[in-house]
């Protein structure tokens, strides 16, 4: 089930009614758990078995780990959990990819090997719930906390529908404590939750699907080079599309959860105003970047084993982070580029800074810009623009169907191939330009603020008017059932 | 802001949205528009599901817009007792759908294939094929959630005119803004908003306004001209055509081997579209060869005075009034030509 569907509206209304009836807290949690299974099963019912398997095995492995003092046994129980979760992920997500590469490797060695192409369907959200359950067993192994005694609480933590298929990737400490005491949304939580749901749907339905998907899909789907302006428009359209799609999903998830009285962690913090790549990863898919930091980068040694090792650890983390997004070398390249930029940034930050005065050229830029920036912020503003430029370069690999298409697109963007035809109509280019400027301006303005703080300063009639405009645009756009991009990851 | 202020904001938003929706609906109704259903992936998949539950004489129709406009399903049902399963897709080649039916071992029915030469004889992997392929790819992935949404949406679409995505969605309205595009860019032209509507069973119908207003008819004719319908560029020949026909024959053979049948239909078109089509796709090189090499029967409108007496108001599709007698005659001709009955009451032998 997707948030942007009539089925979800009906499901959510019924669930809210059930959740606010005078049932016992245990009954309400059972309702939430059953509703979450229904939410998941309406995609592909058999895959619910995988979810159950992961839930049951991790619940019992964590208990076994906690009651055992013997190191070897503890490691063995942890290994069972890791093998099961990563095994399922590898089979369903990377099975075809591994086989394809193995076949290519054999062919390069002159060995004729032709395997039957596996017909594997990727279970929705497997990458997300695998990481959720893994963090639980690893943390219990590290004795960060005791295992959850209630199977119901644990199953609900894994399966809770708002985060189940596309995050935020919750940690046990984020959610399990909230299931221990009866919770019901206050009037404020309910209203703010509904507002966030509307905001998330606006980002997804109107901007991502309604305006940006068409130009991005069209140009990235062409098998020939295009005019440089069209290439840039497509990349900027995808840049806006993927942010509004994914951040829109997270905003919906947080809003929906708040209506039920539960708080989910923040997942995006205006990433397109990031100054540098370390800042970008503190703002983009925050729950994934912190997961990779805590369960991959730090265990690899982090920055504790010298500069060279730090760079290696950064690269390994980002390459695997890229591969987490999909079974394709393009995602690996995307992760590799982010890792490379992070390394370069780290290298530059290590160079002692020199005192610098504001130049005349900087003053001219300050006067010319439409966005209110102060002199001291100018270098930050320009760096944010430069970061966004590099982020867009990486999106080319993320979006292109293969390496050849990505390279062709880059050659078009940088004017190496200029003879490509003009493909996008003017209205599409205007839409892309407006959304790009609006998105960057909003991110820059909101860089150090929160949505809640900004909207709480608005008078009620202004908030009501903005809310109604978003809802009207959602109704008018009418793209009601398309899937979120991150479901495929 | 206090909680009470959030409540006030929510009530204000709700009031504005309800007022807007009511006003928007009333506005389009006052403009003379009728209810129209979105002919999207879900409606197609919903219809596709029906092919396993059909009577022997109940046909599955595939093709492009001509069979969607010209075969009046209501008349067909009145005449035969069965409603055909309409799987044709506007502006596409039916070959991928024919292949899909042929490769489905559970399908053993009667297929009527509408032939619009420019679309049917398009090369493998062409845009026309890709569009049909997208529907086929969607069908097995049509989730339970999407099916439930489809049924809920259907209730809303049955009551609100403004939910017609093709005409009244934000994107569609933005595309109609008079913004000149960059020179050299192909922009798909807009059909007049009053051209027609789609019924819940995927029937395309010209609107009353279209029939009454020649300016709207000229608007549609302009679109056909812009899309090259009047061009006389020769269709494919040589290996490409041979491969197209042999792939069709393969599909026909598979369906017939399971006891099903395939009949090709060439629906009417009028001058100047018909003149251009005759030049680009001479009958003996395309239609006759298709029938000869596949061994399947075919009904060409020019062979029957009762089918060729009509004038298409947009050069390509029949008027709603004409589709009724046309459909009656077509049923009779299919029955006579194939020596079968398509009527409910009889034990229906398979089309040979």
């Amino acid at each position: 089930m997707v948030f942007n569907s009539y089925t979800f509206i009906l499901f959510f209304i019924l669930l809210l009614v059930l959740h606010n009836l005078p049932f016992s807290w245990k009954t309400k949690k059972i309702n939430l758990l059953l509703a979450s299974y229904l939410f998941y099963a309406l995609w592909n019912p058999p895959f619910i078995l995988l979810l159950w398997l992961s839930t049951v095995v991790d619940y019992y492995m964590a208990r076994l780990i906690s009651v055992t003092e013997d190191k070897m046994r503890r490691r063995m129980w942890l290994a069972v959990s890791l093998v099961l979760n990563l095994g399922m992920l590898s089979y369903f997500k990377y099975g075809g990819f591994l086989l394809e590469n193995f076949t290519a490797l054999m062919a390069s060695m002159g060995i004729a090997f032709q395997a039957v192409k596996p017909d594997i369907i990727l279970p929705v959200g497997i990458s997300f719930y695998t990481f959720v359950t893994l963090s639980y067993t690893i943390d219990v192994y590290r004795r960060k906390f005791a295992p959850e005694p209630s199977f119901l609480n644990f199953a609900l933590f894994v399966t809770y529908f708002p985060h189940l298929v596309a995050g935020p990737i919750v940690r046990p400490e984020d959610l399990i404590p909230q299931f221990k005491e009866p919770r019901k949304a206050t009037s404020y939580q309910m209203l703010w939750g509904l507002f966030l749901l509307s905001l998330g749907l606006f980002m997804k339905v109107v901007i991502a699907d309604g305006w940006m998907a068409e130009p991005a899909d069209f140009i990235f789907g062409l098998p020939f080079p295009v005019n440089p302006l069209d290439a840039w428009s497509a990349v900027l359209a995808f840049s806006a599309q993927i942010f509004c799609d994914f951040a829109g999903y997270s905003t919906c998830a947080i809003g929906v959860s708040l209506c039920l009285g539960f708080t989910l962690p923040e997942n995006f913090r205006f990433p397109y105003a990031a100054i540098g790549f370390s800042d970008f990863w503190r703002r983009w898919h925050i729950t994934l970047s912190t997961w990779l930091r805590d369960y991959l980068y730090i265990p690899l040694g982090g920055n504790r084993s010298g500069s060279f090792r730090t760079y290696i650890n950064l690269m390994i983390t980002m390459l695997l982070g890229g591969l987490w997004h999909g079974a394709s070398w393009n995602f690996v390249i995307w992760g590799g580029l982010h890792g490379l930029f992070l390394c370069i940034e780290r290298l530059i930050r290590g160079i002692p800074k020199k005192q610098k005065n504001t130049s005349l050229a900087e003053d001219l830029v300050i006067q010319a810009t439409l966005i209110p920036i102060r002199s001291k912020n100018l270098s930050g503003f320009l760096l944010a623009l430069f970061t966004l430029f590099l982020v867009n370069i990486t999106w080319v690999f993320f979006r292109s169907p293969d390496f050849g298409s990505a390279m062709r697109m880059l050659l078009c963007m940088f004017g190496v191939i200029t003879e490509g035809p003009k493909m996008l109509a003017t209205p599409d280019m205007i839409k892309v330009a407006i959304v790009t400027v609006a998105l960057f301006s909003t991110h820059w303005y909101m860089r150090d603020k929160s949505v809640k703080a900004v909207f709480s300063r608005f008078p009620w009639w202004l908030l009501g008017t903005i809310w109604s405009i978003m809802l009207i645009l959602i109704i008018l756009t009418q793209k009601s059932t398309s899937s979120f991009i991150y479901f495929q990851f | 802001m206090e909680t009470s202020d959030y409540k006030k904001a929510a009530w204000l938003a709700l009031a504005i949205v309800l007022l807007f929706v009511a006003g928007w609906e009333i506005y389009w109704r006052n403009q003379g528009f009728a209810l129209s259903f979105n002919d999207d992936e879900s409606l197609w998949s919903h219809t596709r599901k029906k092919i396993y539950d059909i009577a022997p004489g109940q046909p599955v129709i595939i093709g492009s817009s001509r069979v969607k406009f010209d075969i009046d399903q209501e008349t067909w049902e009145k005449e035969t007792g069965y409603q055909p399963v309409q799987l044709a897709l506007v502006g596409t080649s039916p070959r991928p759908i024919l292949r899909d039916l042929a490769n489905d071992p559970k399908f053993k029915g009667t297929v009527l294939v509408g032939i619009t030469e420019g679309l049917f004889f398009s090369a493998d992997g062409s845009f026309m094929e890709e569009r049909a392929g997208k529907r086929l790819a969607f069908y097995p992935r049509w989730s339970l959630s999407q099916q439930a949404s489809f049924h809920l949406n259907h209730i809303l679409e049955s009551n609100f005119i403004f939910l017609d995505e093709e005409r009244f969605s934000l994107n569609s309205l933005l595309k109609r803004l008079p913004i000149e595009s960059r020179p050299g860019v192909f922009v798909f032209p807009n059909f007049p908003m009053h051209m027609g509507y789609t019924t819940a069973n995927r029937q395309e119908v010209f609107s009353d306004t279209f029939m009454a207003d020649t300016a709207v008819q000229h608007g549609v004719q302009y679109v056909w001209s812009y899309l090259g319908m009047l061009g006389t560029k020769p269709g494919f020949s040589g290996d490409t055509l041979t491969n197209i026909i042999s792939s069709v024959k393969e599909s026909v053979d598979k369906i017939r081997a399971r006891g099903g049948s395939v009949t090709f239909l060439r629906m009417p078109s009028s001058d100047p579209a018909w003149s251009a089509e005759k030049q680009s796709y001479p009958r003996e090189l395309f239609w006759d060869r298709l029938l000869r090499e596949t061994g399947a029967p075919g009904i060409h409108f020019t062979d029957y005075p009762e089918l060729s007496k009509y004038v298409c108001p947009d050069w390509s599709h029949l008027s709603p009034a004409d589709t009724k007698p046309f459909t009656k005659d077509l049923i009779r001709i299919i029955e006579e030509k194939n020596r079968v009955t398509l009527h409910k009451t009889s034990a229906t032998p398979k089309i040979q």
Side-chain angles (χ1 to χ4, degrees):
Chain A
M1 198 184 300
V2 285
F3 292 142
N4 52 325
S5 66
Y6 294 118
T7 321
F8 178 75
I9 294 171
L10 188 65
F11 165 88
F12 189 48
I13 291 170
L14 292 174
L15 189 61
L16 278 180
V17 171
L18 270 180
H19 197 65
N20 286 285
L21 287 176
F23 293 133
S24 70
W25 181 232
K26 192 178 175 187
T27 309
K28 286 186 181 184
K29 285 194 288 187
I30 292 171
N31 287 341
L32 277 179
L33 184 62
L34 293 176
S36 298
Y37 284 130
L38 178 70
F39 181 87
Y40 191 77
L42 284 178
W43 264 296
N44 201 333
F47 285 139
I48 212 149
L49 296 172
L50 294 179
L51 193 56
W52 283 339
L53 185 67
S54 187
T55 308
V56 170
V57 170
D58 283 309
Y59 177 73
Y60 285 105
M61 287 308 114
R63 286 174 75 96
L64 288 171
I65 290 168
S66 76
V67 296
T68 314
E69 286 304 321
D70 180 51
K71 254 188 179 178
M72 281 304 288
R73 277 179 179 274
R74 283 167 55 79
R75 279 187 186 162
M76 190 178 75
W77 299 133
L78 177 66
V80 171
S81 167
L82 292 177
V83 168
L84 174 90
N85 286 295
L86 295 177
M88 282 194 324
L89 188 63
S90 305
Y91 174 76
F92 285 101
K93 193 160 177 172
Y94 304 106
F97 178 65
L98 291 172
L99 193 65
E100 194 184 301
N101 282 283
F102 180 72
T103 310
L105 184 69
M106 291 289 108
S108 71
M109 293 191 297
I111 303 167
F113 173 76
Q114 196 60 52
V116 179
K117 203 177 173 189
D119 189 16
I120 303 170
I121 302 170
L122 181 67
V124 172
I126 190 167
S127 312
F128 289 91
Y129 72 70
T130 300
F131 272 30
V132 167
T133 53
L134 274 181
S135 69
Y136 173 77
T137 29
I138 294 171
D139 284 350
V140 169
Y141 177 80
R142 288 172 173 175
R143 299 192 195 284
K144 193 174 168 187
F145 45 71
E148 171 56 36
S150 158
F151 182 76
L152 176 60
N153 283 352
F154 178 72
L156 190 53
F157 154 69
V158 176
T159 317
Y160 183 53
F161 74 90
H163 76 72
L164 179 60
V165 288
I169 301 170
V170 288
R171 304 287 185 88
E173 62 268 31
D174 291 330
L175 212 48
I176 292 179
Q178 298 189 59
F179 294 143
K180 293 189 184 290
E181 300 294 328
R183 290 178 90 92
K184 196 174 135 182
T186 61
S187 300
Y188 167 74
Q189 283 179 317
M190 178 67 78
L191 291 165
W192 186 244
L194 289 174
F195 179 80
L196 288 180
L197 177 61
S198 311
L199 177 62
L201 287 175
F202 169 76
M203 290 165 75
K204 163 67 179 166
V205 175
V206 180
I207 302 179
D209 288 353
W211 292 349
M212 296 296 100
E214 206 174 289
D217 291 349
F218 176 49
I219 298 294
F220 275 102
L222 293 173
F224 51 82
V226 292
N227 183 271
L229 196 56
D230 293 68
W232 273 107
S233 297
V235 175
L236 292 172
F238 180 68
S239 187
Q241 184 198 0
I242 192 153
F243 170 75
C244 290
D245 187 283
F246 193 20
Y249 187 89
S250 291
T251 309
C252 288
I254 293 167
V256 162
S257 188
L258 205 56
C259 291
L260 295 163
F262 304 99
T263 312
L264 291 183
E266 195 181 12
N267 215 15
F268 288 87
R269 207 176 290 142
F270 308 104
Y272 288 162
I275 298 173
F277 275 75
S278 51
D279 190 26
F280 179 80
W281 281 101
R282 279 193 291 270
R283 296 166 176 278
W284 178 275
H285 205 175
I286 299 164
T287 56
L288 173 69
S289 56
T290 49
W291 198 100
L292 291 172
R293 180 195 66 199
D294 295 346
Y295 300 102
L296 188 59
Y297 178 68
I298 292 175
L300 282 170
N303 56 5
R304 301 186 306 276
S305 315
S307 289
F308 181 71
R309 184 68 205 182
T310 304
Y311 292 124
I312 297 288
N313 292 342
L314 262 178
M315 286 306 295
I316 292 172
T317 306
M318 294 315 293
L319 287 169
L320 289 175
L323 195 61
W324 176 87
H325 285 83
S328 145
W329 287 112
N330 266 23
F331 288 118
V332 179
I333 294 170
W334 174 79
L337 282 174
H338 273 270
L340 186 69
F341 292 141
L342 281 168
C343 290
I344 293 169
E345 187 182 320
R346 193 176 173 82
L347 202 68
I348 293 169
R349 282 185 198 276
I351 299 168
K353 285 177 187 169
K354 287 178 190 169
Q355 195 63 38
K356 213 177 96 182
N357 295 321
T358 310
S359 67
L360 177 65
E362 266 192 359
D363 284 338
L364 286 174
V365 175
I366 296 163
Q367 287 164 30
T369 183
L370 288 170
I371 301 161
I373 48 171
R374 289 187 297 277
S375 169
K376 63 177 181 181
N377 281 346
L378 179 65
S379 55
F381 179 78
L382 294 175
L383 278 173
L385 269 180
F386 183 61
T387 308
L388 183 59
F389 166 78
L390 293 178
V391 166
N392 276 298
I393 303 298
T394 67
W395 285 140
V396 174
F397 288 96
F398 196 94
R399 177 61 183 83
S400 298
D402 50 58
F403 181 75
S405 309
M407 289 310 295
R408 188 175 58 234
M409 183 65 94
L410 284 171
L411 293 175
C412 294
M413 285 162 68
F414 290 104
V416 181
I417 300 176
T418 50
E419 68 273 19
K422 296 172 184 172
M423 299 301 293
L424 284 178
T426 306
D428 281 331
M429 301 189 78
I430 293 172
K431 274 194 283 189
V432 174
I434 289 172
V435 169
T436 303
V437 172
L439 200 61
F440 182 70
S441 309
T442 309
H443 281 218
W444 181 253
Y445 174 74
M446 296 290 293
R447 208 182 117 77
D448 301 315
K449 302 179 181 77
S450 73
V451 176
K452 199 169 165 180
V454 168
F455 278 103
S456 65
R457 284 202 298 272
F458 284 10
W460 67 269
W461 55 266
L462 183 58
L463 180 66
T465 308
I466 293 172
W467 198 343
S468 65
I469 290 170
M470 288 195 304
L471 291 172
I472 287 168
L473 288 173
I474 292 167
I475 293 168
L476 284 184
T477 303
Q478 297 186 26
K479 291 250 179 217
S480 62
T481 52
S482 63
S483 212
F484 288 80
I485 294 175
Y486 261 69
F487 285 7
Q488 63 192 290
F489 306 140
Chain B
M1 203 191 292
E2 300 294 319
T3 303
S4 61
D5 286 338
Y6 281 100
K7 276 187 189 161
K8 280 194 238 172
W11 282 116
L12 175 67
L14 186 66
I16 294 174
V17 169
L18 288 178
L19 277 173
F20 174 83
V21 168
W24 194 239
E25 177 67 15
I26 291 165
Y27 172 75
W28 291 117
R29 280 181 189 267
N30 284 339
Q31 295 293 309
F33 289 101
L35 274 175
S36 184
F37 290 81
N38 291 317
D39 193 12
D40 56 11
E41 290 91 346
S42 282
L43 183 56
W44 191 86
S45 298
H46 171 71
T47 314
R48 167 71 173 75
K49 270 179 100 174
K50 295 178 183 170
I51 66 163
Y52 305 114
D53 195 27
I54 51 175
Q58 191 178 1
V60 173
I61 302 171
I62 63 174
S64 41
S65 60
R66 287 182 186 168
V67 280
K68 283 194 83 189
F69 273 91
D70 298 356
I71 296 179
D72 183 53
Q73 293 184 54
E74 208 178 291
T75 306
W76 191 291
E77 189 174 10
K78 220 179 276 175
E79 285 294 306
T80 66
Y82 297 120
Q83 193 175 78
V85 178
Q86 181 55 272
L87 286 182
L89 286 166
V90 171
T92 67
S93 162
R95 288 193 290 122
I97 299 176
L98 183 65
R99 201 178 307 131
D100 173 61
L101 295 174
N103 290 333
D104 187 339
K106 286 185 282 178
F107 176 72
K108 299 176 172 85
T110 302
V111 190
L112 302 179
V113 189
I115 304 287
T116 301
E117 290 86 350
L119 298 170
F120 187 87
F121 295 106
S122 56
D124 286 344
S126 65
F127 174 68
M128 297 79 153
E129 278 217 335
E130 264 184 28
R131 283 187 63 190
K134 278 183 186 167
R135 295 291 168 105
L136 292 171
F138 178 84
Y139 175 68
R141 294 186 283 110
W142 195 36
S143 68
L144 292 171
S145 168
Q146 285 167 321
Q147 293 181 40
S149 277
F150 165 74
H151 290 292
L152 292 171
N153 194 22
H154 194 75
I155 298 168
L156 293 171
E157 281 186 50
S158 307
N159 291 286
F160 294 104
I161 282 177
F162 79 88
L163 289 177
D164 176 3
E165 189 179 334
E166 202 178 316
R167 284 183 294 185
F168 309 130
S169 70
L170 191 59
N171 262 344
S172 170
L173 295 172
L174 286 175
K175 276 181 186 160
R176 290 176 187 277
L177 289 176
I179 300 174
E180 276 291 312
S181 205
R182 295 182 295 163
V185 176
F186 173 80
V187 180
F188 200 91
N190 291 312
F191 284 100
M193 286 179 89
H194 276 290
M195 180 180 171
Y197 55 92
T198 310
T199 63
N201 55 8
R202 305 191 66 252
Q203 171 86 49
E204 297 289 341
V205 186
F206 282 130
S207 72
D208 293 343
T209 312
F210 171 88
M211 292 310 300
D213 189 345
T214 49
V216 184
Q217 293 172 16
H218 291 152
V220 179
Q221 290 165 356
Y222 165 77
V223 174
W224 295 141
S225 309
Y226 188 90
L227 294 176
M229 190 187 266
L230 307 187
T232 52
K233 191 181 155 198
F236 287 115
S237 57
D239 287 347
T240 310
L241 182 61
T242 305
N243 290 340
I244 290 171
I245 293 177
S246 56
S247 77
V248 176
K249 177 177 165 43
E250 198 181 307
S251 300
V252 171
D253 288 348
K254 280 184 185 174
I255 292 172
R256 294 172 105 176
R258 289 197 298 268
S261 70
V262 176
T263 302
F264 295 107
L265 304 175
R266 180 40 165 105
M267 310 304 268
S269 53
S270 304
D271 274 332
W274 171 229
S275 300
E277 286 167 346
K278 271 192 294 190
Q279 281 190 60
S280 297
Y281 299 94
R283 178 174 169 155
E284 60 282 9
L285 297 183
F286 289 89
W287 173 260
D288 291 345
R289 185 177 167 191
L290 177 73
L291 301 195
R292 192 173 58 245
E293 293 189 15
T294 60
I299 293 164
H300 198 291
F301 77 102
T302 52
D303 294 340
Y304 303 91
E306 58 271 55
L307 300 184
S308 55
K309 65 185 178 189
Y310 303 104
V311 174
C312 302
D314 70 331
W315 306 332
S316 192
H317 308 93
L318 296 177
S319 70
D322 289 343
T323 60
K324 290 173 175 52
F326 176 86
T327 303
K328 265 190 195 177
D329 288 327
L330 182 67
I331 294 167
R332 182 180 47 76
I333 291 166
I334 293 173
E335 287 182 324
E336 284 170 9
K337 187 171 180 73
N338 296 325
R339 297 189 302 279
V340 294
T341 174
L342 299 171
H343 289 73
K344 199 173 196 173
T345 46
S346 325
T348 315
K350 290 284 174 196
I351 296 173
Q352 296 306 303

